[in-house]
Amino acid sequence: MIIQGTETLTSLIHIISESLLTPVVIILVIFVVLAILCLGGIINEYFSRNPIKSQDFEKLVRDISFSKTPAEIGEKVNGSNLFDWQKEVLLKIADNHDIGINARKALASELISSEETRLIKSTNKTDILVRLGPILGLLGTLIPLGPGLAALGSGDITTLAESLTIAFDTTVTGLAVGGIGYLVSKFRKQWYESDLINVETLAEVELESINNQK
C-alpha cells in the first residue's frame, strides 16, 4: 500500500516536472527579448549620458556656497550641466527656503530618497534577469534529462539527443540572460550611485548656503 502510494506521488511529480518545460522555455524566450532591450537601452544611455565633470562640479559647489539669495542658487543650478532630476531636487530645496532649518533638511532627505527609490526601480528588471535567468536555465536543463535517461534505458538514442539538445540550449540561454542582466545592472548602479552622491553633496552645500543667508 505504501509502495503504491509512493509510486502515485512519484508519477504526479513526474507529470508536474514535464509540464513545466514549456512555461520555462516561453519565459526564457521572453527574458531573452528583455535582455536584448536592456542591452540596447544601456548602450543608448551610455552615449546619451553627459554627467557633470569634476571641475564643473567643483565650480558649482563654490557658486552655490557663495550665492547670496535662493534665487541666485536657482540660477546657478539651472545653468549647470546637472541632469534634469538633479536640478529638480535642488530647485525644490531652494524654493522652500522660507521654512525652518529642520524642515528643509527633512524635505531634502525625502526628495533624495524618492529619487533613489526611482533609480532602484529602474534596475529591478535587470536584477530579476540576473537571478531568474540562470535558475530557469537550470530548470530547462534538468527537466528534459528525465525523459532522456529513460529513452537511453530503452535504447532510443534519438529522444536522448533531443532531450540533451534542449538541456544545453536552455542552459546557455539562461546564463546569457543572467550575464547580460548583471552587466546592465552593474553599470547602471555605478552611474546612479555617482549621480546620487553628487546631488547629496550639492544639497548639503545648498542647505548651508541658505542657512547662512538668514
Side-chain angles (χ1 to χ4, degrees), residues 60-74:
L60 181 59
V61 168
R62 294 183 61 84
D63 288 342
I64 292 177
S65 181
F66 292 115
S67 294
K68 298 180 179 180
T69 64
E72 187 176 347
I73 292 176

Side-chain angles (χ1 to χ4, degrees), residues 34 37-38 120-130 181 185:
L34 290 176
L37 292 176
C38 289
I120 290 175
K121 286 182 178 179
S122 68
T123 63
N124 283 344
K125 184 187 300 182
T126 47
D127 286 341
I128 291 174
L129 297 181
V130 173
S185 287

Side-chain angles (χ1 to χ4, degrees), residues 65 93 109 126 128 171 176 178 180:
S65 181
I93 297 174
S109 177
T126 47
I128 291 174
T171 301
I180 293 173

Side-chain angles (χ1 to χ4, degrees), residues 107-123:
L107 175 62
S109 177
E110 174 59 27
L111 291 173
I112 294 173
S113 178
S114 297
E115 289 300 325
E116 183 178 7
T117 301
R118 181 183 64 82
L119 294 175
I120 290 175
K121 286 182 178 179
S122 68
T123 63

Side-chain angles (χ1 to χ4, degrees), residues 12 20 36 39 43 61 70 109 117 130 133 146 155 159 166 168-169 177 179 186 194 197:
L12 179 61
L20 289 175
I36 293 173
L39 184 60
I43 292 174
V61 168
S109 177
T117 301
V130 173
T159 302
I166 295 173
F168 287 128
D169 289 345
V177 166
K186 181 178 178 62
S194 176
I197 291 174

Side-chain angles (χ1 to χ4, degrees), residues 15-69:
I15 293 172
I16 294 174
S17 176
E18 287 193 338
S19 66
L20 289 175
L21 181 58
T22 300
V24 165
V25 173
I26 292 174
I27 295 174
L28 271 176
V29 171
I30 294 173
F31 277 12
V32 168
V33 174
L34 290 176
I36 293 173
L37 292 176
C38 289
L39 184 60
I42 195 173
I43 292 174
N44 178 67
E45 187 175 355
Y46 173 79
F47 287 106
S48 61
R49 273 178 63 87
N50 186 25
I52 188 169
K53 297 179 180 178
S54 58
Q55 59 267 29
D56 294 334
F57 181 79
E58 181 180 355
K59 182 178 183 301
L60 181 59
V61 168
R62 294 183 61 84
D63 288 342
I64 292 177
S65 181
F66 292 115
S67 294
K68 298 180 179 180
T69 64

Side-chain angles (χ1 to χ4, degrees), residues 157-188:
I157 303 300
T158 301
T159 302
L160 174 62
E162 292 176 353
S163 298
L164 291 177
T165 300
I166 295 173
F168 287 128
D169 289 345
T170 52
T171 301
V172 172
T173 302
L175 291 175
V177 166
I180 293 173
Y182 173 77
L183 289 175
V184 174
S185 287
K186 181 178 178 62
F187 282 110
R188 278 187 172 156

